[in-house]
Amino acid sequence: DSGVTQTPKHLITATGQRVTLRCSPRSGDLSVYWYQQSLDQGLQFLIQYYNGEERAKGNILERFSAQQFPDLHSELNLSSLELGDSALYFCASSAHDGGYTFGSGTRLTVV
Amino acid sequence: QQQVKQSPQSLIVQKGGISIINCAYENTAFDYFPWYQQFPGKGPALLIAIRPDVSEKKEGRFTISFNKSAKQFSLHIMDSQPGDSATYFCAATLVQGAQKLVFGQGTRLTINP
């Protein structure tokens, strides 16, 4: 167990639908990062939150949004889903000294 | 300037051999260079990391070599084992301010028994 918890582990949904992915960071970590990994692809940075505030944005579609709550857990919202959104979505958290830790991911399948 | 380039894309090594994966970065402000190991369907797991004030770090069979002037770093896996077969990602970041990790494209390593 890495200490970063992601739910659900698997999600199957239809095109056009909306889903919410959840991430609980490692205890004490203030930063949460979301990454997307398509089949046989690298890790694409989506967005980062630090202590509730958006810190950095990467290649995140306008149909996607995220937030970090006062208890530091984060949610990634994906709407108007398309087949191409099928991927593994990873959350990571970090401490001030660099220790970036990844969760086990949510596998999203859009049918 | 944020890119990290990783090579090769795939690598096949015989059991007991040395696996070498290379990365190059552009941003000289980066101060933390980790390597992650990922098995199919799993999240990336930190394998080993280095800061730019040292040229080499070794942990068991895994060694990072770091060349600051060339802006390159590499992962060496000694005595490679079939259980090392996985995808390896190098990354770089600026730790101050909790910056995001910038990843290389990944190397799929296969160790033949």
Side-chain angles (χ1 to χ4, degrees), chain B residues 47-111:
Chain B
L47 191 61
I48 186 172
I50 197 168
R51 301 278 182 145
D53 53 346
V54 296
S55 60
E56 186 175 282
K57 183 174 181 180
K58 184 176 181 179
E59 289 183 2
R61 295 184 295 108
F62 301 92
T63 299
I64 298 180
S65 297
F66 186 83
N67 186 329
K68 189 173 182 178
S69 61
K71 294 188 287 185
Q72 295 176 346
F73 59 110
S74 60
L75 176 69
H76 292 64
I77 306 175
M78 312 299 288
D79 188 26
S80 299
Q81 298 297 311
D84 298 330
S85 296
T87 299
Y88 292 81
F89 292 94
C90 64
T93 190
L94 176 61
V95 172
Q96 184 179 7
Q99 300 292 315
K100 69 179 186 294
L101 282 168
V102 179
F103 281 93
Q105 297 86 343
T107 297
R108 179 173 289 185
L109 175 65
T110 302
I111 307 299

Side-chain angles (χ1 to χ4, degrees), chain A residues 35 37 40 48 55 97 100, chain B residues 38 51 97-99 101 108:
Chain A
Y35 286 83
Q37 186 176 40
D40 289 335
Q48 176 199 358
R55 171 68 68 89
D97 63 351
Y100 297 81
Chain B
Q38 185 181 29
R51 301 278 182 145
Q99 300 292 315
L101 282 168
R108 179 173 289 185

